[in-house]
């Protein structure tokens, strides 16, 4: 994503001060940006969007549309662009409900995420029993026709949805599409690029939020492979459907940062978190901060507006209650987007160290150091290689004000890249915390 002039200036300022710091200098914390009063306006301050899923049959509900128009600047059709909706009979395309959503969004100056061109689920009846070349060709024709119809109107397409298996295999999910050959995903991406060269092309999945899960690693390897072979992929969508059985992982920054380091944008595409009150609000804050801490996390979409609009309505997982009132979760997201802290308890737990496994062959372990009223020290030890690149991401209003035993550069004001400077594999830094005691997110890769 493009850095704003403000963030570049901030990064330069911090970089200069760090270079000049003698270990304990303090940089006064400044707010990330001015306070905005809607989710979209708050996200736009850092060049991001804040979106929602929309159902065509609710566009006549004035409460729903009022919130939609006021709060969001990105729209995803919840069901209306899926294969069963857009090609109910083979070769006969139907865009009525999808167009209602796209036209509403565009008339309101909002952008659209397309969801989804190819998926094992929500296939029209005629496709479900197809196989082999006939199915492959039908899928590619669907991708081409739908992406061509909406050419120029879609910010990003979920080209392929949910193609990886749950559990420990880290491999592909079995499906009629998968049985057409392992290259079905890249074939779909190439067809989508040809049909709409201006749209960002995403792979989208769920249960890929925890960096240590096999499914996350499987998707990571596919994206790494696609990038290395020139398959046209621009982004990875993390659905982010959370509840007590599938909680927000503490390593979420790491997941987003590691995917972004492959050279793709990352987006949170279907966020909902079951729960209520301050617990739910803290979890929403943590997810929002995880995105904000990754320069290439370009936006967040929640999967519906009011709790009653959710596919998991009984879990009250959204930002507005059934009457359209703002929940505590709404306020925590808005404050996080505005760069505010202190409204909810930090989600990071305090233990003595954390380590981040990396498939590229190194591990970075963070340890707490000394603490003062205004700042604290941290230390990172790298194992697995002497040729490392470690990314240290702090959350606003924190700033790294000093480093030692490393050569440091800044991606943004919040993201430092550390490399060896001949002092060994342990380096340290001082963080001016501004009241935010959260640990930085650490990730490691081999140079
Ligand atoms: O509209 C019909 C209604 O006329 C009919 O009486 C009723 C009977 O079952 O069905 C209604 O359609 C339902 C539709 O939602 C609209 O409510 C479908 O049965 C139901 O299957 C469909 O569920 C959707 C689900 O995807 C299908 O896979 C959910 O709304 C939608 O939120 C959900 O979204 C998915 C994402 O696409 C991918 N990631 C996971 C996410 C949550 O499951």
């Amino acid at each position: 994503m493009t850095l704003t002039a403000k963030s570049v200036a901030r990064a330069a300022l911090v970089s200069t001060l760090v270079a000049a710091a003698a270990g304990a200098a303090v940089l006064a914390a400044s707010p990330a940006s001015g306070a905005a009063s809607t989710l979209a306006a708050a996200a736009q301050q850092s060049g991001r969007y804040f979106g929602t899923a929309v159902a065509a049959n609710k566009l006549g509900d004035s409460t729903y549309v009022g919130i939609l128009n006021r709060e969001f600047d990105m729209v995803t059709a919840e069901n209306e662009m899926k294969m069963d909706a857009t090609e109910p009979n083979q070769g006969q395309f139907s865009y009525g409900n999808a167009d209602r959503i796209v036209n509403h969004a565009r008339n309101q100056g909002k952008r659209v995420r397309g969801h989804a061109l190819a998926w094992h689920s929500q296939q029209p009846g005629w496709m479900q029993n197809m196989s082999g070349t006939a199915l492959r060709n039908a899928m590619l024709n669907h991708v081409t026709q739908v992406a061509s119809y909406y050419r120029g109107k879609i910010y990003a397409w979920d080209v392929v949805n949910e193609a990886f298996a749950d559990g420990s295999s880290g491999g592909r999910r079995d499906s009629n599409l998968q049985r057409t050959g392992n290259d079905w995903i890249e074939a779909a991406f190439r067809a989508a690029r040809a049909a709409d060269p201006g749209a960002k092309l995403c792979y989208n999945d769920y249960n890929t939020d925890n960096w240590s899960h096999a499914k996350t690693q499987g998707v990571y390897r596919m994206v790494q492979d696609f990038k290395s072979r020139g398959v046209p992929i621009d982004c990875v969508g993390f659905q982010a459907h959370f509840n007590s059985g599938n909680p927000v992982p503490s390593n979420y920054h790491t997941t987003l940062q590691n995917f972004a380091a492959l050279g793709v944008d990352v987006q949170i595409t279907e966020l909902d978190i079951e729960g209520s009150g301050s617990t739910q609000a803290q979890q929403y804050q943590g997810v929002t901060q995880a995105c904000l801490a990754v320069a290439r996390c370009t936006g967040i979409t929640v999967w519906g507006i009011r709790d009653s609009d959710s596919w998991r309505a009984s879990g009250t997982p959204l930002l507005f209650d059934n009457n359209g009132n703002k929940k505590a979760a709404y306020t925590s997201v808005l404050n996080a987007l505005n760069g505010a802290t202190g409204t909810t308890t930090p989600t990071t737990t305090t233990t003595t160290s954390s380590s981040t496994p990396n498939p590229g062959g190194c591990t970075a372990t963070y340890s707490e150091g000394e603490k003062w009223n205004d700042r604290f020290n941290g230390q990172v030890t790298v194992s697995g290689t002497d040729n490392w690149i470690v990314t240290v991401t702090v959350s606003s209003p924190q700033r790294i004000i000093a480093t030692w035993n490393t050569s440091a550069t800044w991606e943004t004001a919040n993201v430092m890249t550390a490399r060896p400077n001949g002092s060994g594999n342990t380096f340290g830094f001082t963080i001016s915390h501004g009241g935010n005691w959260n640990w930085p997110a650490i990730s490691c890769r081999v140079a």
Side-chain angles (χ1 to χ4, degrees):
M1 100 190 262
T2 309
L3 294 177
T4 62
K6 199 190 238 179
S7 66
V8 169
R10 252 194 348 250
L13 172 64
V14 173
S15 183
T16 303
L17 284 174
V18 167
V26 177
L27 172 66
S30 57
S33 49
S37 61
T38 67
L39 299 169
Q44 285 165 14
Q45 294 172 120
S46 64
R48 294 177 171 83
Y49 65 82
F50 205 96
T52 182
V54 167
N57 64 9
K58 291 179 180 153
L59 288 174
D61 177 331
S62 59
T63 303
Y64 181 90
V65 172
I67 300 170
L68 166 62
N69 291 353
R70 185 185 76 223
E71 295 287 344
F72 301 97
D73 61 355
M74 185 72 76
V75 163
T76 305
E78 185 174 0
N79 288 298
E80 294 78 353
M81 285 190 181
K82 293 174 181 175
M83 300 176 98
D84 59 350
T86 49
E87 195 177 358
N89 301 299
Q90 187 168 16
Q92 293 181 355
F93 292 84
S94 170
Y95 297 111
N97 285 330
D99 280 349
R100 289 176 62 202
I101 293 173
V102 172
N103 292 338
H104 182 93
R106 288 168 59 81
N107 289 341
Q108 290 284 324
K110 305 177 194 308
R111 292 183 290 173
V112 178
R113 288 193 86 263
H115 173 81
L117 291 171
W119 190 15
H120 70 277
S121 181
Q122 300 291 109
Q123 292 182 359
W126 61 265
M127 184 182 275
Q128 290 173 19
N129 294 319
M130 290 180 84
S131 62
T133 305
L135 174 60
R136 172 69 68 94
N137 289 339
M139 180 274 288
L140 291 175
N141 183 57
H142 181 88
V143 170
T144 299
Q145 294 297 327
V146 177
S148 298
Y149 179 82
Y150 284 112
R151 179 167 41 226
K153 295 182 175 177
I154 304 294
Y155 163 70
W157 267 112
D158 291 333
V159 178
V160 170
N161 196 38
E162 302 178 2
F164 275 73
D166 294 311
S168 60
S169 77
R172 299 282 183 87
R173 171 197 297 278
D174 180 49
S175 72
N176 59 351
L177 290 168
Q178 181 62 29
R179 289 192 291 272
T180 70
N182 207 50
D183 63 342
W184 76 274
I185 297 181
E186 60 196 84
F189 274 82
R190 292 187 202 283
R193 180 68 96 223
D196 186 356
K200 288 180 182 289
L201 305 182
C202 301
Y203 176 77
N204 190 53
D205 213 328
Y206 65 93
N207 282 354
T208 48
D209 312 286
N210 191 320
W211 180 241
S212 61
H213 282 181
K215 187 172 177 181
T216 310
Q217 296 295 316
V219 175
Y220 179 89
R221 285 191 295 272
M222 179 187 75
V223 176
Q224 192 173 41
D225 171 54
F226 280 11
K227 293 299 288 184
S228 72
R229 291 191 293 112
V231 177
I233 184 169
D234 306 304
C235 38
V236 176
F238 297 81
Q239 293 187 9
H241 296 294
F242 296 115
N243 55 28
S244 57
N246 178 37
V248 180
S250 59
N251 60 18
Y252 207 20
H253 292 87
T254 304
T255 304
L256 298 178
Q257 183 65 47
N258 285 348
F259 273 87
L262 292 175
V264 289
D265 290 346
V266 294
Q267 299 163 2
I268 295 173
T269 53
E270 304 182 13
L271 178 61
D272 47 26
I273 307 176
E274 292 189 62
S276 61
S278 60
T279 303
Q280 183 183 48
Q282 285 166 24
Q283 293 167 334
Y284 263 104
Q285 179 191 35
V287 171
T288 306
Q289 288 179 335
C291 178
L292 292 173
V294 176
R296 291 195 73 156
C297 184
T298 58
I300 297 173
T301 294
V302 287
W303 205 237
I305 296 178
R306 300 161 300 195
D307 285 332
S308 50
D309 300 317
S310 170
W311 69 300
R312 286 177 166 173
S314 64
T316 62
L318 294 174
L319 301 178
F320 295 86
D321 70 16
N322 294 354
N323 296 318
N325 299 313
K326 296 169 181 174
K327 295 167 57 180
Y330 171 94
T331 306
S332 72
V333 171
L334 184 69
N335 286 347
L337 293 170
N338 275 323
T341 57
T343 51
T344 57
T345 308
T347 51
T348 307
T349 53
T350 300
T351 51
T352 52
S353 72
S354 73
S355 51
T356 306
N358 188 294
C362 61
T363 300
T365 303
Y366 176 79
S367 308
E368 289 182 315
E370 289 178 280
K371 297 179 180 141
W372 298 272
N373 286 342
D374 57 349
R375 65 195 192 280
F376 61 84
N377 284 350
Q379 177 169 292
V380 171
T381 300
V382 182
S383 61
T385 180
D386 293 332
N387 203 15
W388 41 266
I389 299 175
V390 171
T391 301
V392 180
T393 304
V394 299
S395 49
S396 183
Q398 293 176 337
R399 293 288 178 266
I400 297 176
I401 57 169
T403 65
W404 53 91
N405 295 345
T406 184
S407 166
T409 55
W410 266 258
E411 188 182 334
T412 70
N414 290 345
V415 182
M416 178 181 83
T417 301
R419 292 182 169 79
N421 71 349
S423 305
N425 289 340
T426 296
F427 66 95
F429 41 83
T430 301
I431 295 176
S432 164
H433 57 67
N436 175 0
W437 289 91
N438 284 351
W439 285 6
I442 311 289
S443 65
C444 179
R445 64 194 156 94
V446 178

